[in-house]
Amino acid sequence: MANPSLMLLLIALCFLLGSFPGAECRRFHLPADESRYLTTEERWFNQTLDHFAPSDHRHFRQRYFEYLGYVEDPQAPIFLIIGGEGTSRGISNNYIAVLAKKFGAAIVSLEHRYYGKSSPFELHTTENLRYLSSKQALSDLAVFHHYYQELVNTRYNRSGVENPWFVFGGSYSGALSAWFRLKFPHLTCGSLASSAVVQAVYNFIDFDKQIGESAGPECKAVLQEITALVDEQLLSNRENVKNMFGASELKNDVDFLYLLADAAVIAIQYGNPDRLCAPLIEAKNRGNNLIEAYAAYVKDYYLGSFQESLQTYDQEYLKNVSVGEDSASRLWWFQVCSEVAYFQVAPPDDSVRSQKIDLKYHLDLCKNVFGDGVYPEVEMTNLFYGGSKIAGSRIIFTNGSQDPWRHASKQKSSKDMPSYIIKCHNCGHCSDFSGCPQSHFNMKGSSENCTSPEALDNVRAKIIGHIDLWLSECQKTDDNQSGFVDM
């Protein structure tokens, strides 16, 4: 939601939603083609800077988007898409749009504070970042809910009416979606939390284990061999091996190794395992140079068609406090380093990534980039929200079977919180929103490119059933026009 920015950053195609990466792989790069959006028209309102300091009256302008093309009834549901750890460019024409059309819903999407054009400050110094947290972001959503509901009521010349709201998010914003329902159950009929990383993880070794499992034994073995060869050549010919990947600007060797690990992760996470594994297995079988084969993949796919930037792996670049769309990596690392961790470290044995990517590397990065005093409060985060034992209601959790981030999600159903695993060869991060594979945008989140379309379609049918039930329960009682029933 992914570097931990690899999550999330994890932003994933999941963040065709309007942002996350989240927690995804590092951050997802949104497509520039405006035809892929229902709307890109910007709207603004004044947001409170610090929701937990009543004497602090500072505000900032927060951006949101609105689409009313499916609305026919003033009492129509309002679907709130939660922005994640990246720039919001509009409301995407993905599967949420399909759901909105089915239910005749209005769609609104709020950009996450600090990201994109919603920054409260002119500089992202560590001091200025202290208001960047999930808790502040959830309160942003509550304030926006009040603002927008009043706007709707004014539009229809009425007062005191509450439309039924339903919230959506993927990856990190998927966690926000679940947490919003948990903390503000009176403001929403339910939540769809796709690939929701609700469990903050300090030592996230299951991430790498899933990468190996999803790649398959043959591809995993080749990736491990490549990792060993690169580790060896970094000792004997550092500059040459970095030049092969076009990454000579990465002076820190472990920053470079993180780039190589993420390049493999991105294909698995977003449902493109064959794009990664097929050329590497072929190179192995032909006796070709494996480092050269992997370097070709990294340059052509990860740095090429996926358009990841080398500088986001450079710790000196992460120290840049200027505000702009390029600042999302620093912002997400701050959230990682202060609140949720998701440190993707190498398991002690059978690891795909280099053993040099360990806890010390992550903690040293946090200190180097943000200074002393910034440390991930993982235990407090999980205590506050419940982690994978979240005790909310009317929350749908969905995860792709091949997605490494599912190990930070809620994977087991509980009362009033169904959890579904979408099982197929290329079902990855936020497949329910974006289809397969997620690194290629599918209009309306089409399932036709999934290796098992019926797996995705079956889960989507269950999603529709839950939304239909929970919206109808909300709408049954209108004694005070609140739109909610007692729970």
Side-chain angles (χ1 to χ4, degrees), residues 68-134:
L68 305 177
Y70 304 133
V71 176
E72 297 181 355
D73 183 350
Q75 271 297 103
I78 297 173
F79 284 2
L80 171 59
I81 298 175
I82 301 172
E85 70 282 22
T87 299
S88 294
R89 302 192 189 280
I91 295 176
S92 296
N93 190 12
N94 60 12
Y95 189 67
I96 297 179
V98 175
L99 293 173
K101 185 175 183 179
K102 176 178 179 59
F103 290 100
I107 311 174
V108 290
S109 180
L110 182 67
E111 186 170 59
H112 196 294
R113 60 167 50 208
Y114 283 82
Y115 291 93
K117 295 183 179 180
S118 298
S119 180
F121 299 100
E122 295 182 358
L123 292 175
H124 286 154
T125 63
T126 300
E127 172 66 17
N128 285 345
L129 294 180
R130 59 185 172 142
Y131 305 105
L132 174 57
S133 70
S134 63

Side-chain angles (χ1 to χ4, degrees), residues 262-379:
D262 275 4
V265 166
I266 205 71
I268 302 295
Q269 175 175 309
Y270 292 143
N272 265 313
D274 297 337
R275 179 65 181 82
L276 165 72
C277 294
L280 298 184
I281 293 173
E282 182 180 1
K284 174 67 175 178
N285 292 338
R286 290 184 174 184
N288 295 343
N289 186 304
L290 290 181
I291 295 182
E292 290 181 356
Y294 191 55
Y297 158 81
V298 171
K299 289 186 290 186
D300 178 57
Y301 182 72
Y302 191 46
L303 301 178
S305 59
F306 195 79
Q307 298 183 336
E308 182 55 82
S309 172
L310 276 176
Q311 63 185 5
T312 63
Y313 290 89
D314 185 347
Q315 293 185 39
E316 292 306 306
Y317 167 78
L318 294 176
K319 293 179 183 180
N320 184 354
V321 299
S322 61
V323 173
E325 292 189 12
D326 291 339
S327 61
S329 293
R330 174 176 172 82
L331 297 175
W332 177 243
W333 268 111
F334 179 79
Q335 291 193 260
V336 163
C337 291
S338 62
E339 193 172 19
V340 291
Y342 305 128
F343 289 156
Q344 297 149 36
V345 302
D349 51 54
D350 202 30
S351 175
V352 173
R353 69 184 59 216
S354 171
Q355 291 290 335
K356 295 177 182 178
I357 305 175
D358 55 13
L359 282 174
K360 184 178 184 302
Y361 164 76
H362 288 87
L363 293 175
D364 285 349
L365 182 151
C366 292
K367 183 176 181 180
N368 181 35
V369 174
F370 301 107
D372 294 327
V374 176
Y375 188 86
E377 298 180 353
V378 168
E379 290 185 4

Side-chain angles (χ1 to χ4, degrees), residues 9 17 45 56 64 97 110 113 119 129 136 147 152 170 177 179 233 254 262 305 327 334 376 380 390 395 411 456:
L9 300 165
L17 289 181
F45 84 111
D56 188 340
Y64 73 96
L110 182 67
R113 60 167 50 208
S119 180
L129 294 180
Q136 295 282 4
Y147 164 82
V152 172
S177 179
W179 294 339
Q233 290 205 17
V254 190
D262 275 4
S305 59
S327 61
F334 179 79
M380 183 55 66
I390 182 173
I395 305 171
Q411 299 185 80
L456 178 54

